């Protein structure tokens, strides 16, 4: 297995990141809009969307560093588009990306099955929760609430970022757009 | 970028903003946040961002802060269900002041980020990262190229919706977004081919056509950031 | 040298192989291509290639930076880069300075910029894959002039893939045709002549199906009043920016008019005639007014050609008939995105036909078509028109208009 990133790997990972940065822009506003009806920590149910690049990147590109790279670029570009959380999202992205990376590093970057995706999503969520709890909510949550928050973010990560990315990658593969990648399928000779 | 701040080195600006953000994040003190916000607004003319533009593009930041303020300070009381989730640890601060601190801190985090990116040109950022931080040029330029495709994707979104309608299928949001992702990846693959055709992955050393300086005025940007961050830390310790 | 061939014969593939760009993982290969005695992959540095799609060749957001991109990759010292960039921009007649944003350029300007980017590297072999395929005649002419001038300055070999021979001949010394079907290729013709007998409407037009009343198009104050009649082909012509695509979208019931309105006759829409087409349900719209877009890829939603045609609920017999009429039967199981440009365009026309609408709006249907498909399209569309359907054809192709157009609407900027 080649570990060096080809040009097409870099550009497509970046494109996925940019596409999700746009999604983040919208999703950030959903988070804010829900502030009135859904208080924390339950609002964190929607958290998984921010973690998708950390899992989808490796599933598509299948090279080391894909989770970290895709998530960091997505976070940085979303800050560029105008995120309410300024530069902290870049550090968030770093932590989330590392979490996602571990899900695939654990099997030596050779396994890209549903299990890997779920673990990666969960770990990305864990990273995100640890970051948020120490930076944002340290003084305001009780210990019980902190555990709840972390649990919700992790579950959201597993479901939305883990299972969701896995399903998304399979759907992309069926369209043939991933044929230049190891995650694509064999084309029918015509 | 034609303003003074616009011409400063991108890494310097990023570093200054990160220092300030890191300092602000460590405290809920309203005065510290206000200091940062005030400093930023005072420097606004230097950045070339008009107050109108700030409102237009920065509205998510303002909306977030306003949301926190409204729903906790004005509508909250000690036994409101909303506030139950913001219960204190024994810091001894009044509930309202804490919520004000939150809202202001959000502004103090969001605004530097917004202003920094408003004054950074993506190409300059890529060049600066490659020149000063030894980021791999393949990754920096690859990401830059993908970013250039972003406005095209907006057009593509509209066309995909129209095309689905013309085909007789309802253009659901998720389906359209999926189609957009597929189109984006396809464009990315073609762009990568074109880049390779122009020698991108050749393997030899790569020059940068644009010059990147790092002069004293860039250092001064970092120093200002450092001073602002220090002021925040000092205020944080002085007021507790 | 001009390289011709039926669409799908492999012209783009040959060019990509010459450029050393064929990925080893994307198919089977036999034989080899040698440039100056060495395999093409090793000669990438001396080869420059320009592709069909202007948008996805440009890498940077400023024009000058984009031309400099290739030079940077080559490791050219900074002091040399900018003079070469300026020389290349001047050679192609680029009308703006270095700081011009690339996203704001017209198609012709973007293609010229792409050519500048390639010739700045002074390649020994210049490859151009249908560089004018997506451009209007004005832009295409400017690009051809730029190519001619580039060839004067460089001492390069050029391989140009182009369907329309007449415009390309002055640029080349030799023509090569690949593929098995010599009839599929355009040959030089006397001006004003057509490669097939014209197919104008045999009788008077039928009833009015769609009417545009006081329709305003984006940038001008002018309004359009037109009637789309059954059994008639209306050709919409004009330079880029005049609003042809906007008109096509409005008549297709896809966008809402900002001024004026589009009215459908009861003969077309039955009870829905009281509502404007842009308010109809998508399925009903497709059954009444079919639209074919300029970029076929936007319209593909499934993953095989056959599934695309069957999408609207067409019977298998209809699907088979369409497949064979448009020479797509061989490709029935292929993914639409893997088809060549010309094949994709045929497929998008076929998908619009599958729902058998009474009105067809086509945006540049003959772009990049080889002669055989061009003839087949004209025949097919003429047959549909003779059955009583209405055709609205947005086109830059004067021969197409001469072959099938019954009435012409000229839009100006």
């Amino acid at each position: 297995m080649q570990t060096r990133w080809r040009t097409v790997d870099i550009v497509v990972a970046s494109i996925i990141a940019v596409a999700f940065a746009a999604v983040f822009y919208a999703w950030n506003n959903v988070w804010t809009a829900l502030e009135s009806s859904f208080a924390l920590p339950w609002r964190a149910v929607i958290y998984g969307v921010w973690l998708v690049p950390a899992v989808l990147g490796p599933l598509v590109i299948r090279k080391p560093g894909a989770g970290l790279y895709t998530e960091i670029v997505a976070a940085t570009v979303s800050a560029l588009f105008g995120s309410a959380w300024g530069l902290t999202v870049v550090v968030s992205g770093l932590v989330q990306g590392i979490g996602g990376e571990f899900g695939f590093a654990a099997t030596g970057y050779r396994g890209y099955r549903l299990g890997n995706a779920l673990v990666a999503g969960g770990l990305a969520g864990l990273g995100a929760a640890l970051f948020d709890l120490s930076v944002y909510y340290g003084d305001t949550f009780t210990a019980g609430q902190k555990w709840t928050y972390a649990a919700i973010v992790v579950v959201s990560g597993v479901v939305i970022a883990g299972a969701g990315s896995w399903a998304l990658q399979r759907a992309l593969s069926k369209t043939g757009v991933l044929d230049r990648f190891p995650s694509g399928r064999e084309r029918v000779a015509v | 970028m034609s303003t003074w701040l616009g011409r400063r080195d991108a890494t310097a600006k990023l570093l200054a903003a990160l220092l300030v953000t890191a300092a602000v994040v460590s405290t809920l003190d309203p005065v510290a946040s206000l200091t940062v916000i005030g400093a930023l607004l005072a420097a606004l003319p230097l950045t070339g961002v008009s107050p109108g533009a700030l409102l237009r593009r920065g509205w998510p930041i303002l909306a977030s802060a306003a949301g926190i303020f409204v729903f906790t300070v004005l509508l909250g009381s000690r036994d409101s269900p909303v506030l139950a989730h913001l219960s204190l640890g024994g810091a001894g601060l009044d509930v309202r002041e804490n919520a004000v601190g939150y809202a202001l801190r959000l502004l103090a985090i969001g605004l530097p980020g917004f202003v920094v990116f408003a004054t950074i040109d993506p190409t300059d950022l890529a060049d600066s990262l490659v020149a000063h931080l030894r980021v791999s040029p393949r990754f920096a330029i690859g990401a830059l190229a993908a970013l250039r495709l972003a406005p095209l994707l907006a057009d593509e979104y509209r066309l995909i919706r129209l095309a689905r309608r013309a085909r007789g299928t309802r253009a659901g949001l998720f389906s359209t977004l999926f189609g957009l992702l597929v189109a984006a990846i396809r464009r990315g693959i073609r762009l990568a081919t074109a880049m390779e055709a122009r020698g991108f992955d050749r393997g030899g050393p790569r020059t940068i056509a644009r010059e990147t300086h790092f002069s004293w005025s860039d250092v001064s940007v970092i120093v200002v950031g450092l001073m602002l961050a220090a002021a925040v830390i000092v205020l944080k310790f002085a007021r507790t | 040298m001009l390289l011709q061939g039926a669409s799908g014969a492999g012209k783009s593939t040959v060019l990509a192989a010459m450029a050393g760009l064929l990925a080893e993982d994307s198919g089977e290969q036999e034989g080899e291509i040698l440039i100056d005695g060495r395999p093409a992959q090793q000669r990438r540095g001396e080869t420059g290639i320009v592709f069909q799609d202007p948008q996805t060749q440009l890498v940077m957001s400023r024009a000058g930076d984009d031309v400099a991109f290739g030079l940077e990759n080559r490791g050219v010292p900074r002091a040399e880069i900018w003079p070469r960039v300026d020389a290349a921009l001047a050679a192609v007649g680029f009308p703006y300075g270095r700081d011009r944003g690339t996203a704001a350029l017209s198609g012709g300007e973007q293609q010229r910029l792409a050519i500048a980017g390639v010739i700045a590297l002074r390649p020994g072999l210049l490859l151009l894959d249908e560089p004018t395929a997506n451009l209007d005649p004005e832009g295409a002419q400017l690009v051809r002039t730029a190519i001619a001038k580039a060839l004067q300055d460089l001492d390069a070999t050029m391989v140009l893939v182009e369907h329309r021979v007449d415009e390309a001949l002055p640029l080349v010394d030799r023509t090569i045709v690949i593929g098995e079907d010599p009839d599929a290729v355009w040959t030089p013709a006397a001006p004003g002549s057509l490669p097939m007998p014209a197919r104008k409407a045999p009788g008077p037009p039928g009833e009015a199906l769609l009417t545009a009343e006081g329709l305003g198009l984006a940038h001008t104050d002018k309004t359009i009043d037109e009637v789309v009649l059954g059994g008639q082909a209306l050709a919409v012509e004009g330079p880029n920016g005049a609003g042809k695509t906007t008109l096509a979208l409005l008549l297709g019931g896809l966008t809402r008019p900002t001024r004026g309105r589009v009215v459908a006759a009861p003969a077309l829409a039955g009870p829905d005639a009281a509502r404007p087409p842009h308010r109809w349900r998508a399925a009903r719209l497709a059954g009444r007014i079919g639209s074919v877009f300029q970029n076929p890829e936007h319209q593909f939603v499934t993953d095989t050609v056959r599934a695309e045609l069957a999408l609207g609920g067409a019977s298998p017999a209809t699907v088979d008939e369409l497949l064979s009429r448009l020479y797509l039967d061989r490709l029935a199981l292929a993914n639409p995105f893997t088809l060549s440009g010309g094949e994709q365009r045929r497929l998008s026309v076929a998908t619009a036909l599958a729902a058998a609408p009474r009105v067809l709006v086509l945006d540049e249907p003959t772009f990049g078509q080889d002669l055989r498909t061009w003839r087949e399209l004209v025949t097919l569309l003429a047959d549909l028109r003779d059955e009583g359907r209405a055709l609205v054809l947005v086109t830059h192709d004067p021969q197409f208009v001469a072959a099938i157009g019954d009435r012409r609407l000229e839009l100006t900027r």
Side-chain angles (χ1 to χ4, degrees):
Chain A
M1 183 200 61
Q2 244 199 352
T3 52
R4 185 176 188 266
W5 285 49
R6 303 168 295 172
T7 309
V8 65
D9 294 322
I10 299 177
V11 175
V12 170
S14 310
I15 278 262
I16 293 177
V18 169
F20 273 91
V23 170
F24 288 177
Y25 184 80
W27 209 247
N28 289 348
N29 296 336
V30 171
W31 177 269
T32 310
L34 289 181
E35 218 148 14
S36 50
S37 37
F38 258 107
L40 291 171
W42 294 102
R43 211 190 315 152
V45 162
I46 66 172
Y47 209 99
V49 172
W50 287 304
L51 307 170
V52 169
V55 183
L56 187 62
L59 284 177
V60 169
I61 309 290
R62 307 213 172 178
K63 296 207 166 127
L68 191 57
Y69 178 77
T70 315
E71 185 71 47
I72 289 187
V73 174
T76 313
V77 174
S78 85
L80 201 123
F81 288 160
S83 144
W85 290 282
L87 288 170
T88 57
V89 299
V90 178
V91 187
S92 263
L94 181 73
V95 181
Q96 292 159 6
I98 292 180
E101 204 59 46
F102 268 116
F104 300 96
T107 51
Y109 292 109
R110 262 182 272 275
Y112 292 95
R113 290 183 294 274
L114 179 61
N116 296 87
L118 295 175
V119 169
L123 288 177
L126 188 61
L130 288 175
F131 179 83
D132 288 352
L133 288 174
S134 48
V135 167
Y136 288 124
Y137 307 124
D139 303 320
T140 50
F141 281 176
T142 62
Q145 285 169 325
K146 288 185 186 178
W147 281 109
T148 318
Y149 182 80
I152 295 178
V153 171
V154 168
V155 168
S156 180
V158 169
V159 172
I160 300 181
S165 300
W166 184 81
L168 191 54
Q169 184 256 310
R170 301 247 316 204
L172 286 173
S173 178
K174 279 178 58 180
T175 65
V177 74
L178 298 181
D179 287 352
R180 295 277 312 268
F181 298 93
S183 47
R185 25 134 245 194
E186 294 294 317
R187 250 192 245 163
V188 175
V190 157
Chain B
M1 293 268 156
S2 48
T3 62
W4 183 85
L5 199 57
R7 283 194 301 272
R8 294 310 105 220
D9 183 74
T11 312
K13 288 185 277 199
L14 216 53
L15 190 55
L18 273 171
L19 286 170
V20 173
T21 308
V24 167
V25 149
S26 68
T27 175
L28 272 179
D29 182 46
V31 174
S33 300
L34 274 171
T35 313
V36 171
I37 297 173
L40 221 77
L41 290 176
L44 209 58
L46 273 181
T47 66
V49 177
S50 69
L54 187 62
L55 281 174
R56 260 200 325 269
R57 285 195 51 204
W59 65 265
I61 308 172
L62 301 172
S64 272
I68 294 182
F69 187 75
V70 166
F71 287 104
T72 58
V73 174
L74 298 183
L75 302 183
S77 64
R78 265 195 195 275
D79 33 37
S80 117
V82 173
L83 275 188
H85 293 282
L86 280 183
S87 58
L88 309 166
L93 287 174
D94 180 49
V95 166
R96 291 174 192 233
E97 194 174 319
N98 210 10
V100 168
Y102 256 111
L104 285 176
R105 187 173 79 165
L106 197 66
L107 279 178
I109 295 178
L111 285 181
F114 173 78
V115 167
V116 156
F117 279 110
T119 63
I120 290 186
D121 171 65
T123 310
D124 291 341
L125 178 60
D127 285 340
S128 176
L129 290 175
V130 169
H132 303 305
L133 293 185
R134 300 194 190 268
V135 168
S136 155
R138 290 197 315 139
F139 282 88
I141 306 283
L144 187 64
L147 189 59
R148 188 196 91 70
L149 287 183
L152 300 183
L153 297 183
D155 284 339
E156 197 102 4
Y157 177 78
R158 182 178 153 260
L159 282 172
I160 291 180
R161 290 204 64 201
L162 294 180
R164 300 280 165 110
R165 177 172 159 73
R167 293 295 306 274
T169 55
R170 192 88 52 76
L173 181 68
F174 200 64
S175 159
T176 315
L177 285 178
F178 181 73
L180 189 61
L181 187 58
V182 172
I185 294 180
R186 262 180 230 290
R187 277 190 186 265
I189 293 177
R190 270 191 233 141
L191 182 61
T193 308
M195 289 167 76
E196 289 207 329
R198 290 168 66 184
F200 186 59
D201 218 2
R202 208 175 52 104
R206 195 177 185 279
T207 49
I208 304 185
R210 296 159 295 278
E211 307 200 15
T212 40
H213 313 280
F214 206 84
S215 62
W216 285 110
S217 39
D218 300 309
V219 175
S220 74
V221 168
I222 301 182
V223 165
V224 167
L226 203 55
M227 285 182 355
L228 202 50
V232 168
I233 306 279
V234 162
L235 278 172
K236 160 178 158 171
F237 284 117
R239 283 170 46 84
T240 47
Chain C
M1 192 185 83
L2 177 65
L3 187 63
Q4 286 190 287
S7 107
K11 307 183 292 300
S12 295
T13 313
V14 167
L15 239 57
M18 283 193 218
L21 286 176
L22 280 189
E24 291 89 42
D25 47 10
S26 75
E28 312 163 359
Q29 39 188 56
E30 261 182 52
E32 52 180 6
I33 293 189
L34 297 178
I35 300 183
D36 275 348
R38 301 240 296 273
Q41 271 91 347
Q42 293 175 20
R43 288 289 185 192
R44 262 207 230 166
E46 284 110 55
T47 311
I49 180 166
V50 176
F51 299 98
Q52 230 183 54
D53 178 12
Q55 281 289 17
T56 27
Q57 299 185 71
L58 301 177
V59 177
M60 306 291 264
S61 51
R62 286 189 292 257
D65 293 341
D66 192 80
V67 178
F69 176 71
L71 295 166
E72 288 174 336
N73 293 337
R74 197 65 75 66
V76 172
R78 180 181 296 154
E80 265 185 58
I81 289 185
W82 291 110
R84 281 168 78 164
V85 167
D86 292 331
L89 288 175
V92 299
F94 190 69
Y96 308 107
R98 285 185 208 158
D99 284 333
R100 184 74 172 189
T102 50
L105 299 171
S106 75
E109 290 161 352
Q110 284 173 339
Q111 281 297 59
R112 281 184 281 162
L113 186 61
I115 294 174
V118 164
I119 66 178
L121 295 166
R122 313 205 67 83
L125 175 61
L126 183 59
L127 305 170
L128 299 127
D129 191 355
E130 296 196 57
T132 60
N134 292 334
L135 305 179
D136 64 335
E138 201 183 306
Q141 188 49 44
L142 288 169
V143 169
R144 279 189 283 267
T145 314
I147 296 175
K149 186 133 186 298
L151 288 176
Q152 277 172 357
D153 298 336
L154 296 171
D155 183 24
T157 307
M158 175 182 79
V159 179
L160 171 68
V161 172
E162 189 63 87
H163 279 291
R164 297 307 179 86
V165 182
D166 294 317
E167 291 104 11
L169 273 186
L171 296 169
V172 303
D173 304 311
R174 223 173 106 191
T175 309
I176 293 186
V177 178
I178 66 176
E180 293 131 16
D181 194 352
D183 285 335
V185 166
W186 291 88
T187 49
S193 73
L194 287 179
M196 61 185 283
R199 289 283 306 266
K200 304 287 186 165
E207 52 189 336
L209 294 173
L210 271 185
T211 314
E213 293 174 8
L215 208 53
L217 302 174
H219 308 290
T220 64
D221 297 324
K222 309 193 186 97
T223 57
I224 310 280
D225 293 277
E226 266 299 331
V227 186
V228 175
L229 302 164
Q232 185 182 79
L234 173 67
V236 179
E237 301 175 277
N240 267 12
K244 304 192 301 298
T245 301
T246 312
L247 181 60
L249 291 174
L250 286 167
L251 289 177
L254 298 172
T255 50
R256 202 170 66 85
T258 47
R259 276 175 296 149
R261 56 197 196 129
V262 176
V263 180
L268 177 65
D272 259 341
R275 293 160 69 205
H278 67 86
R279 301 276 315 272
W280 296 348
R281 284 206 355 228
R284 299 229 181 100
L285 178 65
R288 295 173 188 147
I289 310 178
S291 288
V292 177
F293 281 36
Q294 234 186 66
N295 183 345
E297 290 192 339
H298 288 133
Q299 297 190 272
F300 298 150
V301 294
T302 60
D303 46 349
T304 64
V305 168
R306 181 177 284 279
E308 280 293 319
L309 293 174
L311 186 66
S315 70
T318 317
V319 171
D320 287 329
E321 196 213 320
L322 284 171
L323 280 173
S324 68
R325 282 206 78 170
L326 286 168
Y327 300 105
L328 293 168
D329 21 24
R330 196 178 52 95
L331 299 164
L333 291 176
N335 184 303
F337 289 96
T338 59
L339 267 47
S340 77
E343 290 164 345
Q344 282 183 339
R345 204 164 286 280
R346 275 168 10 229
L347 177 57
S348 70
V349 173
T351 53
L353 293 178
R358 280 194 72 182
V359 178
L360 262 185
V361 180
L362 299 108
D363 200 344
E364 303 293 355
T366 58
F367 259 172
Q369 294 296 355
D370 62 26
L371 183 58
R372 182 180 58 193
T373 322
W374 190 92
R375 282 202 201 107
E376 183 54 50
L377 265 180
V378 171
T379 311
L380 179 62
L381 290 172
D383 289 344
L384 290 169
R385 187 247 344 254
D386 296 342
E387 283 169 21
R389 290 183 227 258
L391 300 178
V392 178
L393 307 164
V394 173
T395 183
H396 283 304
D397 185 346
Q399 285 169 310
F400 186 55
V401 177
I404 192 178
D406 301 312
R407 203 153 57 87
R408 297 170 68 161
L409 171 61
E410 187 91 31
L411 296 179
T412 51
R413 237 194 294 247

